[in-house]
């Protein structure tokens, strides 16, 4: 419903600016990372096919995206059973942890130490990669010989340092909304791509495993 206003309303211009920024960031991201997205999808498909588990974690809004990631993969689709994805919960840091001097930065690392195994996959979703809990989670995953994947933004933060991530899909923006928007897009896309491999072309997954790699780690190193 139109309003007659005496002052200039810049809202339409702000919306147009946001639309332009979203298109540019999205285009730049897919130009830079299409092949990396392919490799992440391939790794996830190989992990599921090999009966490994995938764990996903995030904080704040990214925690909700982590839950959506898990729910997408655990749903049933035509020809595909629910896939084993578990969300690592930040809420498991209890009052007694605080009283015992346990830092919140250990909340994901402790769950990884308790549940994860060699060859499993850790997916971390983060706007800026700066929280120490994510860095500690990566280090714990490395000790378990897991694969580490990051959906990040900005300059990658702490997760972009020290080769903590085997694969990183980094949104080229520091704008919070744009980063989360692309991460949501990626969650849906990765689910579709894994479904393509497992339900649509399982023979491709078998061929990947028979191509000479005796383990998922060797296969990633060859990629």
């Amino acid at each position: 419903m139109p309003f007659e206003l005496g002052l200039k309303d810049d809202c339409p211009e702000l919306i147009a600016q946001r639309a332009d920024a979203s298109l540019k960031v999205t285009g730049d991201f897919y130009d830079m990372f299409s092949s990396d997205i392919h490799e992440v999808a391939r790794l996830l498909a190989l992990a599921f096919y090999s009966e490994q588990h995938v764990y996903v974690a995030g904080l704040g809004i990214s925690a909700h995206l982590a839950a959506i990631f898990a729910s997408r993969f655990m749903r049933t689709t035509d020809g595909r059973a629910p896939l084993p994805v578990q969300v690592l919960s930040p809420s498991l840091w209890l009052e007694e942890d605080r009283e015992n001097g346990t830092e919140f930065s250990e909340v994901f690392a402790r769950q990884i130490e308790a549940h994860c195994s060699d060859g499993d996959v850790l997916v971390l979703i983060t706007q800026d990669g700066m929280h120490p809990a994510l860095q500690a989670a990566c280090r714990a995953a490395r000790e378990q010989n897991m694969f580490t994947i990051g959906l990040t933004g900005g300059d990658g933060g702490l997760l972009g340092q020290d080769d903590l991530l085997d694969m990183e899909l980094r949104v080229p923006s520091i704008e919070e909304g744009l980063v989360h928007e692309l991460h949501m897009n990626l969650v849906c896309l990765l689910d579709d791509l894994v479904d393509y491999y497992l339900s649509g072309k399982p023979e491709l997954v078998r061929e990947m495993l028979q191509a000479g790699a005796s383990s998922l780690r060797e296969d990633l190193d060859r990629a």
Side-chain angles (χ1 to χ4, degrees):
M1 173 179 182
F3 294 93
E4 294 294 334
L5 300 175
L7 299 175
K8 185 177 186 309
D9 185 350
D10 293 323
C11 187
E13 287 79 6
L14 296 174
I15 294 171
Q17 290 171 13
R18 175 55 183 269
D20 290 341
S22 178
L23 288 172
K24 183 178 188 312
V25 170
T26 300
D28 290 346
F29 175 79
Y30 283 107
D31 284 344
M32 290 186 289
F33 290 103
S34 287
S35 62
D36 297 284
I37 294 169
H38 179 200
E39 291 305 321
V40 168
R42 195 168 73 103
L43 173 61
L44 290 172
L46 286 167
F48 288 127
Y49 191 86
S50 302
E51 299 184 346
Q52 301 288 158
H53 288 76
V54 174
Y55 298 84
V56 58
L59 293 167
I61 293 175
S62 294
H64 296 287
L65 290 174
I68 293 171
F69 182 102
S71 67
R72 293 273 308 189
F73 281 93
M74 287 190 293
R75 66 186 179 137
T76 56
T77 60
D78 292 340
R80 191 187 86 181
L83 298 174
V85 179
Q86 181 174 329
V87 180
L88 302 180
S89 173
S91 65
L92 293 183
W93 192 63
L94 304 176
E95 184 64 32
E96 52 263 38
D97 294 324
R98 188 181 296 109
E99 293 173 354
N100 292 333
T102 302
E103 296 290 339
F104 178 76
S105 61
E106 299 178 30
V107 64
F108 296 135
R110 291 171 66 185
Q111 295 173 70
I112 289 169
E113 292 166 2
H115 299 295
C116 301
S117 303
D118 183 353
D120 288 341
V121 179
L122 173 65
V123 179
L124 295 174
I125 305 176
T126 171
Q127 174 197 341
D128 55 17
M130 287 303 296
H131 201 286
L134 303 174
Q135 188 181 40
C138 258
R139 295 194 188 284
R142 287 292 197 182
E143 292 177 2
Q144 298 284 78
N145 199 32
M146 298 174 66
F147 298 96
T148 54
I149 298 170
L151 277 56
T152 69
D155 64 358
L158 296 173
L159 290 185
Q161 304 172 7
D162 302 327
D163 295 324
L164 289 174
L165 295 170
D166 290 310
M167 298 179 179
E168 182 182 9
L169 303 177
R170 183 186 298 178
V171 178
S173 175
I174 59 172
E175 175 63 39
E176 178 182 7
L178 293 177
V179 176
H180 292 313
E181 178 185 323
L182 252 176
H183 284 174
M184 183 64 201
N185 189 309
L186 270 175
V187 166
C188 296
L189 176 59
L190 288 172
D191 177 49
D192 290 341
L193 294 176
V194 169
D195 189 56
Y196 161 78
Y197 277 123
L198 297 183
S199 298
K201 292 291 183 70
E203 63 275 11
L204 281 177
V205 184
R206 290 192 293 270
E207 184 177 350
M208 291 175 201
L209 290 175
Q210 294 168 1
S214 60
S215 69
L216 284 174
R217 173 63 64 186
E218 290 179 13
D219 190 71
L220 178 61
D221 291 339
R222 292 169 62 246

